[in-house]
Amino acid sequence: MTIVLGDNQYGKAETRLVRVERHADHHSIVDLNVSTALAGDLAATHLTGDNSGVLPTDTQKNTVYAFARDGVGEIEDFALRLAKHFVETTPTIHRARVRIEQYGWDRLAHHSFVRGAGTRTTTATYDGTRHWVVSGVADLVVLNTTGSEFQGFHKDRYTTLPEATDRILATAVTARWRHAEAGGDWAESYTEAKRHLLEAFADTHSLSLQQTLHAMGERVLANRAELAEVRLTLPNKHHFLVDLQPFGLDNPGEVFFAADRPYGLIEGTVLRDDAPDAGLAWW
Amino acid sequence: MTIVLGDNQYGKAETRLVRVERHADHHSIVDLNVSTALAGDLAATHLTGDNSGVLPTDTQKNTVYAFARDGVGEIEDFALRLAKHFVETTPTIHRARVRIEQYGWDRLAHHSFVRGAGTRTTTATYDGTRHWVVSGVADLVVLNTTGSEFQGFHKDRYTTLPEATDRILATAVTARWRHAEAGGDWAESYTEAKRHLLEAFADTHSLSLQQTLHAMGERVLANRAELAEVRLTLPNKHHFLVDLQPFGLDNPGEVFFAADRPYGLIEGTVLRDDAPDAGLAWW
Amino acid sequence: MTIVLGDNQYGKAETRLVRVERHADHHSIVDLNVSTALAGDLAATHLTGDNSGVLPTDTQKNTVYAFARDGVGEIEDFALRLAKHFVETTPTIHRARVRIEQYGWDRLAHHSFVRGAGTRTTTATYDGTRHWVVSGVADLVVLNTTGSEFQGFHKDRYTTLPEATDRILATAVTARWRHAEAGGDWAESYTEAKRHLLEAFADTHSLSLQQTLHAMGERVLANRAELAEVRLTLPNKHHFLVDLQPFGLDNPGEVFFAADRPYGLIEGTVLRDDAPDAGLAWW
Amino acid sequence: MTIVLGDNQYGKAETRLVRVERHADHHSIVDLNVSTALAGDLAATHLTGDNSGVLPTDTQKNTVYAFARDGVGEIEDFALRLAKHFVETTPTIHRARVRIEQYGWDRLAHHSFVRGAGTRTTTATYDGTRHWVVSGVADLVVLNTTGSEFQGFHKDRYTTLPEATDRILATAVTARWRHAEAGGDWAESYTEAKRHLLEAFADTHSLSLQQTLHAMGERVLANRAELAEVRLTLPNKHHFLVDLQPFGLDNPGEVFFAADRPYGLIEGTVLRDDAPDAGLAWW
């Protein structure tokens, strides 16, 4: 028996980059949180502390800032540029992943902005041969006040939940979708995928949050040919109807307690059956 | 020398209430975080554990939900209803404060909503004779890419900061404003006060964040006669220009590092010199 | 009617300082979060952007680090040194407050440490004439499994809470105590005040959390002559007995759900009736 | 091309359970955060909203509380009991994972406790045939004031980091280790694995954080025959030496700024080359 080194990677997490574009009559901003992770021939540093193959995480951070000098553009392009750079210029590095969160800002005036809700995300990976890009959205909190049931479920000794014919359905969407190939119109792809997610959430009569999840993923794939696979994580943010009877009051679906914990957690993947590279790691 | 009981209060913090209004063709929602705090003749419970004068915090929570059955309306009215109820119906309670945070939701469809940015706040206090209301906004994150300087400051042995002729100015506004009297159009007052804050932030050429703070408060008071006093807390969210020279690159105000800590913290009050009740506690 | 500037202060919040003491055979560390806040003749910067009286917050941060060069010692002394420096060397500044949080570390080896629980705090204020020091503890989470009742409380239409003869009592203590005068043995004072708080929490048979609060404050003052006043904030972290009857099981005080929100919030002050300077602001 | 359902699971996340053991002369407590995740034949609920195969997440929560009635014991045993129950009693469920975080408490008195630092974790999985258990520790924050270098690293155009011959090494350890087989002394295994991690961190002269990571994992495996594999996630919590020269002061490794973001992130696995089931999913 020998003790050996297994999978490993390293990088710089959460480099906060704000990029200003200064046009004659107005400015625009890009507000990012960038994380890099590199893997390859890194046994030496683990086993003997020989760092000759280690590109410092500080250098990775510097590279993020330096590359931003030429403009960021869409986050998928920026992530790919960085991932390819690390693999192509560092002999020991065989795979790079760059993960970016982009925070939205709304324009107040020519040079003024107010932070909006929701976060756009991407992860681009390059292994020296192939590259693949996953885009997504996070912190997208949505709620339906009706059109949601949960009935006919399996019951055992520990089941006390009553059947629900009309409940509040609320969740904080984390969705990611894998592009079949890189190179399209990333901005349009994001805007439309997000729109389809929201529309499917709003107009699906839900018999379970799983059904809503599947409908959201299917809607995106049915409308966006450039996407191969959608993964969704949907916490079921429970809203409990408050019992007002002790106070002589009815409560016809109007007064709710919004609970923090515990919460249901529904996770699922929707994909094309002929999707290429379905087994690729997403991190 | 005797050890005595001093100021004290108690209540239920962070009661999460979601209220649905069910109209024929659409629903609307109100999403609140309600905290109550009561004070009065409460020495007995502290000194001997005699709770006969203590309205349980559980009852305070129940009251929030029961009162919501009749509709919430504007948060200022809801907070005042609750504050008066506690003082008028509980013999030992001489002062009640009710603090509410309201989270904004945008409509997706007739029965569907997506969570927006920013939080509306209020604190209403009633002491058996007077009531006073403070409204406000929190989590309002704003940024100017230009129009901000910081020069001519006091220098001592420990000063290394260079003079800035053009810097990013970014902050997360927490603003509260005291109403000269209750009873107006709370919704309009909030919308307009927030609008004036944002406009003053955007169009003030800033020589210091203190100057911007004052301009924001003054703008609100100059335009809203119903308000007597504005208090602002403005963290200076530093954006540092990244030095790209080691990489042979210039950086003409385009690539910034957004720092977390430490941050400047500017706090100030702007008020009318004839404001009534300027000494009232705001909590 | 004129719009005027009211109370204001500014400073650098959350300067993170780690100080290493390098002795021959071992090291020790001090891990601090330091916030400064200055007030004085600061109307010019607010009204006209004239910053000639403004000591930059960046300078305040530098001062924290520079002063640490000579050693930190007890946080109360370090806070006082800084507060006096800002008032005595900056003509416009008439009052300085320095607030420090100290995070505890336990020794693993001569040069190795592991972070412990709980936070020690202080706030020192100097106004050019007087100085006063408040010390305290935060994030001190404690729980009694028995010895806590809550009965005989005031009931109204909205009361559904049953009387409790034996409940879990759990809270996260935030306590602060004002020193009657500066200059004693800060470390011993802190250690002993914290010990008395914990002992009073553990050995008080509690008829209400208010009673426990008072007992904790009184215990500290009865044993520490150098302290004049104690303020406590105690969230009542509810632990609800789970109803296991639907599963044919009893639950004799053994299985609990620990709720997040809402929570009771009990705040109170215990002080000596002849305490000097009882009206001083604590921030 | 068809759109199909891929991997999916669902469960109840973050059920907060506090279990009291009431002995004659003292009590003990167990404080847990339990998450369950079930997978199996769940296509119906996703595709048609037929929930007949869905055990509600509410029932999963109830089961956690009901099973606690018989005592929790070691968290690994409790997680296994739950995982097996869900698979064995729910026809559609083919795999269950139960993840538990246990928060430590120190005894103050017979019935009184104070929350400590660090979190013990486990994840138990059962697929109807095999079960496997991963134990671990989280939130273990450690720091060495010396004995850490970082030199001889790869340099490119974007490298500005100077070589470090003596730096602070600080990290927040998240470690997980897979048991070769279930059924040993879980408590001893945890205590000893944690001790070996801490000792390896303290006594390894570090040439890179990767080397420290490997030393920590290797130390655990070398001493604990029951463990097959260790995975470590180590953020490099940078402590930057403050430049005090502008103030005429030297800084011989004593005054540091503790940065929040960005941070290095080192992830790695150390395992036995003959470890059984090395490919099992850990979640």
Side-chain angles (χ1 to χ4, degrees):
Chain A
M1 185 276 296
T2 311
I3 296 171
V4 296
L5 176 67
D7 280 349
N8 63 85
Q9 64 179 356
Y10 81 106
K12 190 66 109 190
E14 304 206 38
T15 294
R16 292 279 291 111
L17 163 65
V18 172
R19 177 69 167 84
V20 178
E21 306 263 343
R22 299 180 180 272
H23 307 287
D25 60 345
H26 74 283
H27 293 176
S28 58
I29 59 170
V30 173
D31 182 1
L32 305 182
N33 194 23
V34 182
S35 297
T36 57
L38 311 183
D41 292 335
L42 294 163
T45 184
H46 287 84
L47 301 180
T48 67
D50 171 356
N51 297 316
S52 58
V54 177
L55 186 74
T57 66
D58 187 75
T59 301
Q60 298 174 41
K61 175 198 72 180
N62 287 346
T63 308
V64 170
Y65 287 122
F67 274 41
R69 177 65 188 87
D70 298 327
V72 167
E74 299 299 321
I75 55 175
E76 289 85 356
D77 285 326
F78 190 60
L80 277 173
R81 277 182 66 204
L82 287 162
K84 289 186 178 172
H85 165 79
F86 290 124
V87 172
E88 291 173 353
T89 64
T90 317
T92 48
I93 301 305
H94 301 164
R95 190 194 69 210
R97 171 203 65 173
V98 178
R99 183 164 54 84
I100 302 181
E101 299 176 336
Q102 179 171 19
Y103 309 118
W105 291 81
D106 300 318
R107 182 176 297 281
L108 282 176
H110 293 323
H111 314 108
S112 299
F113 304 87
V114 60
R115 176 85 173 263
T119 303
R120 175 176 168 182
T121 64
T122 198
T123 304
T125 308
Y126 181 61
D127 67 3
T129 307
R130 294 176 304 176
H131 57 260
W132 58 100
V133 176
V134 172
S135 297
V137 66
D139 305 323
L140 187 65
V141 182
V142 291
L143 182 150
N144 286 333
T145 52
T146 189
S148 170
E149 311 177 24
F150 186 54
Q151 301 188 72
F153 41 78
H154 181 74
K155 293 171 189 67
D156 70 8
R157 174 185 169 189
Y158 301 108
T159 302
T160 56
L161 186 73
E163 314 253 325
T165 57
D166 188 6
R167 62 173 185 175
I168 284 185
L169 190 69
T171 189
V173 178
T174 299
R176 299 192 300 159
W177 41 88
R178 185 165 60 83
H179 296 265
E181 56 186 58
D185 183 334
W186 304 112
E188 180 195 297
S189 183
Y190 170 76
T191 303
E192 289 299 299
K194 180 179 169 184
R195 181 172 70 81
H196 289 298
L197 284 175
L198 288 175
E199 288 182 4
F201 177 82
D203 66 26
T204 299
H205 183 91
S206 175
L207 301 176
S208 68
L209 185 47
Q210 283 91 334
Q211 191 193 27
T212 296
L213 180 150
H214 190 269
M216 292 169 75
E218 189 178 40
R219 184 79 59 92
V220 170
L221 292 181
N223 285 280
R224 302 304 305 178
E226 77 276 16
L227 304 181
E229 189 177 349
V230 181
R231 296 189 191 175
L232 289 146
T233 299
L234 301 182
N236 192 347
K237 298 167 75 78
H238 305 305
H239 286 65
F240 296 112
L241 195 71
V242 180
D243 178 9
L244 301 179
Q245 283 193 339
F247 323 128
L249 301 171
D250 64 350
N251 187 1
E254 300 198 338
V255 179
F256 293 88
F257 163 57
D260 294 310
R261 294 191 295 183
Y263 50 91
L265 187 60
I266 314 298
E267 303 167 275
T269 301
V270 183
L271 73 166
R272 301 183 196 281
D273 62 356
D274 61 350
D277 302 321
L280 288 176
W282 286 34
W283 281 274
Chain B
M1 185 275 295
T2 311
I3 296 172
V4 296
L5 176 66
D7 281 348
N8 63 87
Q9 64 178 357
Y10 80 107
K12 189 67 109 190
E14 302 206 39
T15 295
R16 291 280 291 111
L17 163 65
V18 172
R19 178 68 169 84
V20 178
E21 307 262 342
R22 298 180 180 272
H23 306 287
D25 61 343
H26 74 284
H27 292 175
S28 59
I29 58 170
V30 173
D31 183 1
L32 305 183
N33 195 22
V34 182
S35 297
T36 57
L38 309 185
D41 291 336
L42 294 162
T45 185
H46 287 86
L47 302 180
T48 68
D50 171 357
N51 296 316
S52 58
V54 176
L55 186 73
T57 65
D58 187 76
T59 301
Q60 298 173 42
K61 175 198 71 180
N62 287 346
T63 307
V64 169
Y65 286 121
F67 274 42
R69 178 65 188 87
D70 298 328
V72 167
E74 300 299 322
I75 54 175
E76 289 86 354
D77 284 325
F78 190 60
L80 276 174
R81 275 181 68 203
L82 286 162
K84 288 185 178 174
H85 165 78
F86 290 124
V87 172
E88 291 173 353
T89 65
T90 317
T92 48
I93 300 307
H94 301 165
R95 191 195 69 211
R97 170 204 65 174
V98 178
R99 184 164 53 84
I100 301 180
E101 299 176 336
Q102 179 171 20
Y103 310 118
W105 291 81
D106 299 320
R107 182 176 297 282
L108 282 176
H110 292 323
H111 314 108
S112 300
F113 303 87
V114 60
R115 175 85 173 264
T119 303
R120 175 176 168 184
T121 65
T122 198
T123 304
T125 308
Y126 181 61
D127 67 3
T129 306
R130 296 176 302 177
H131 56 261
W132 58 101
V133 176
V134 171
S135 297
V137 66
D139 305 322
L140 187 66
V141 181
V142 291
L143 182 151
N144 287 332
T145 52
T146 189
S148 171
E149 312 177 22
F150 186 55
Q151 301 187 74
F153 42 77
H154 181 75
K155 293 169 190 65
D156 69 9
R157 174 184 169 189
Y158 301 107
T159 302
T160 56
L161 186 76
E163 315 254 324
T165 57
D166 189 6
R167 62 174 184 174
I168 284 185
L169 189 69
T171 189
V173 177
T174 299
R176 298 193 300 159
W177 42 87
R178 185 166 61 83
H179 296 267
E181 57 187 58
D185 182 335
W186 303 113
E188 179 195 297
S189 183
Y190 170 75
T191 303
E192 289 298 299
K194 181 178 168 184
R195 183 172 69 82
H196 288 298
L197 284 175
L198 288 174
E199 288 182 4
F201 178 81
D203 67 24
T204 299
H205 184 92
S206 175
L207 301 177
S208 68
L209 184 48
Q210 284 92 333
Q211 190 193 26
T212 296
L213 179 150
H214 191 269
M216 293 169 76
E218 188 177 42
R219 184 77 61 93
V220 171
L221 293 181
N223 285 280
R224 302 305 305 177
E226 76 276 16
L227 304 181
E229 190 176 349
V230 180
R231 297 188 191 176
L232 289 147
T233 298
L234 301 182
N236 193 346
K237 297 168 77 78
H238 304 306
H239 286 65
F240 296 112
L241 196 69
V242 179
D243 178 10
L244 302 177
Q245 284 194 337
F247 323 125
L249 301 170
D250 64 350
N251 187 0
E254 301 199 338
V255 179
F256 293 87
F257 163 57
D260 295 311
R261 294 191 295 182
Y263 49 90
L265 186 59
I266 314 298
E267 303 167 276
T269 300
V270 182
L271 73 166
R272 300 184 196 281
D273 63 354
D274 61 351
D277 302 320
L280 288 177
W282 286 34
W283 281 275
Chain C
M1 186 276 296
T2 310
I3 296 171
V4 295
L5 177 66
D7 281 349
N8 63 86
Q9 64 179 358
Y10 80 107
K12 189 66 107 190
E14 303 204 37
T15 295
R16 293 279 290 111
L17 162 66
V18 172
R19 177 69 167 84
V20 178
E21 307 263 343
R22 299 180 181 272
H23 306 288
D25 61 345
H26 74 285
H27 292 175
S28 58
I29 59 171
V30 174
D31 183 1
L32 306 183
N33 194 22
V34 182
S35 297
T36 57
L38 310 184
D41 291 335
L42 294 162
T45 185
H46 287 86
L47 301 180
T48 68
D50 171 357
N51 297 316
S52 59
V54 176
L55 185 74
T57 66
D58 187 75
T59 301
Q60 297 173 43
K61 175 198 70 180
N62 287 346
T63 308
V64 169
Y65 287 121
F67 275 42
R69 178 65 187 87
D70 298 327
V72 167
E74 300 299 321
I75 55 175
E76 289 85 353
D77 285 325
F78 190 60
L80 276 173
R81 275 181 68 201
L82 287 162
K84 288 184 180 173
H85 165 78
F86 291 125
V87 171
E88 290 174 354
T89 66
T90 316
T92 48
I93 300 306
H94 302 164
R95 191 196 68 212
R97 171 203 66 173
V98 178
R99 184 164 54 83
I100 301 180
E101 299 176 336
Q102 180 171 18
Y103 309 119
W105 291 80
D106 299 319
R107 182 176 299 280
L108 283 175
H110 292 323
H111 314 109
S112 300
F113 304 87
V114 60
R115 175 84 172 263
T119 303
R120 175 176 167 182
T121 65
T122 198
T123 304
T125 308
Y126 180 62
D127 67 3
T129 305
R130 295 175 304 176
H131 56 262
W132 59 101
V133 177
V134 172
S135 297
V137 67
D139 305 323
L140 187 66
V141 182
V142 290
L143 182 150
N144 287 331
T145 53
T146 190
S148 170
E149 312 177 24
F150 186 54
Q151 301 188 74
F153 42 77
H154 181 75
K155 295 170 188 66
D156 70 8
R157 174 184 170 190
Y158 301 107
T159 302
T160 57
L161 185 74
E163 314 252 327
T165 56
D166 189 5
R167 61 174 186 176
I168 284 185
L169 189 69
T171 189
V173 178
T174 300
R176 300 193 298 160
W177 42 87
R178 185 165 62 81
H179 296 266
E181 56 186 60
D185 183 334
W186 304 112
E188 178 195 298
S189 183
Y190 170 75
T191 302
E192 290 297 300
K194 181 178 169 185
R195 182 171 71 81
H196 288 298
L197 284 174
L198 289 173
E199 289 182 3
F201 177 80
D203 66 25
T204 299
H205 184 91
S206 175
L207 301 176
S208 68
L209 185 48
Q210 283 90 336
Q211 190 193 26
T212 296
L213 179 150
H214 191 270
M216 293 169 76
E218 190 177 39
R219 184 78 60 93
V220 171
L221 293 181
N223 285 280
R224 302 305 305 176
E226 76 276 17
L227 304 180
E229 190 178 349
V230 180
R231 296 188 191 177
L232 289 147
T233 298
L234 300 182
N236 192 346
K237 298 169 77 78
H238 304 306
H239 286 65
F240 296 112
L241 195 70
V242 179
D243 178 10
L244 301 178
Q245 285 195 335
F247 323 128
L249 300 172
D250 63 350
N251 188 359
E254 299 198 341
V255 179
F256 293 88
F257 163 57
D260 295 311
R261 293 192 295 182
Y263 49 91
L265 187 59
I266 314 298
E267 303 166 277
T269 300
V270 183
L271 72 166
R272 300 183 195 281
D273 63 355
D274 61 350
D277 302 321
L280 288 177
W282 285 34
W283 280 274
Chain D
M1 183 277 296
T2 311
I3 296 171
V4 295
L5 176 67
D7 280 348
N8 63 86
Q9 64 178 357
Y10 80 106
K12 188 67 106 191
E14 303 204 38
T15 295
R16 292 280 290 109
L17 163 66
V18 172
R19 178 69 167 85
V20 178
E21 306 263 343
R22 297 179 181 273
H23 306 287
D25 61 344
H26 73 285
H27 293 176
S28 59
I29 58 170
V30 173
D31 182 2
L32 306 182
N33 193 23
V34 182
S35 297
T36 57
L38 310 184
D41 291 336
L42 293 163
T45 185
H46 287 87
L47 302 179
T48 68
D50 171 356
N51 297 316
S52 58
V54 176
L55 185 74
T57 66
D58 187 74
T59 301
Q60 297 173 43
K61 175 200 71 181
N62 287 346
T63 308
V64 170
Y65 286 122
F67 275 41
R69 178 65 188 86
D70 298 327
V72 168
E74 298 300 320
I75 55 175
E76 289 85 355
D77 285 324
F78 191 60
L80 276 173
R81 276 181 69 201
L82 286 163
K84 290 185 177 173
H85 165 79
F86 291 125
V87 172
E88 291 173 354
T89 65
T90 316
T92 48
I93 300 306
H94 302 164
R95 191 196 68 213
R97 172 204 61 176
V98 178
R99 185 163 54 81
I100 301 181
E101 299 175 337
Q102 179 171 19
Y103 310 118
W105 291 81
D106 299 319
R107 183 176 297 281
L108 282 175
H110 292 323
H111 314 108
S112 299
F113 304 87
V114 59
R115 175 84 173 263
T119 302
R120 175 176 168 182
T121 65
T122 198
T123 304
T125 308
Y126 180 62
D127 67 3
T129 305
R130 295 176 303 176
H131 56 260
W132 58 101
V133 177
V134 172
S135 297
V137 67
D139 306 322
L140 187 64
V141 183
V142 290
L143 183 150
N144 286 333
T145 52
T146 190
S148 170
E149 311 177 23
F150 186 54
Q151 302 188 72
F153 42 78
H154 181 75
K155 294 171 188 65
D156 71 8
R157 174 184 170 190
Y158 301 107
T159 302
T160 56
L161 186 75
E163 315 254 326
T165 56
D166 189 6
R167 61 174 184 174
I168 283 185
L169 189 69
T171 189
V173 178
T174 299
R176 299 192 301 158
W177 42 89
R178 185 164 61 82
H179 296 266
E181 56 187 59
D185 182 334
W186 303 112
E188 179 194 298
S189 183
Y190 170 76
T191 302
E192 289 299 298
K194 181 177 167 185
R195 181 171 71 81
H196 288 298
L197 284 174
L198 289 174
E199 288 182 5
F201 178 81
D203 65 26
T204 300
H205 183 91
S206 175
L207 301 176
S208 68
L209 185 48
Q210 283 92 333
Q211 190 193 26
T212 295
L213 180 150
H214 191 270
M216 293 169 76
E218 189 177 40
R219 183 78 60 93
V220 171
L221 293 180
N223 286 280
R224 304 301 307 176
E226 77 276 17
L227 304 181
E229 189 177 350
V230 180
R231 297 190 191 175
L232 289 147
T233 299
L234 301 182
N236 192 345
K237 298 169 75 80
H238 304 306
H239 286 65
F240 296 112
L241 196 70
V242 180
D243 179 10
L244 301 179
Q245 285 194 336
F247 325 126
L249 301 171
D250 64 350
N251 187 1
E254 299 199 340
V255 179
F256 293 87
F257 163 58
D260 294 311
R261 295 193 295 183
Y263 49 92
L265 186 61
I266 314 299
E267 302 166 277
T269 300
V270 183
L271 72 168
R272 300 184 196 281
D273 63 356
D274 61 350
D277 302 320
L280 289 176
W282 287 33
W283 282 274

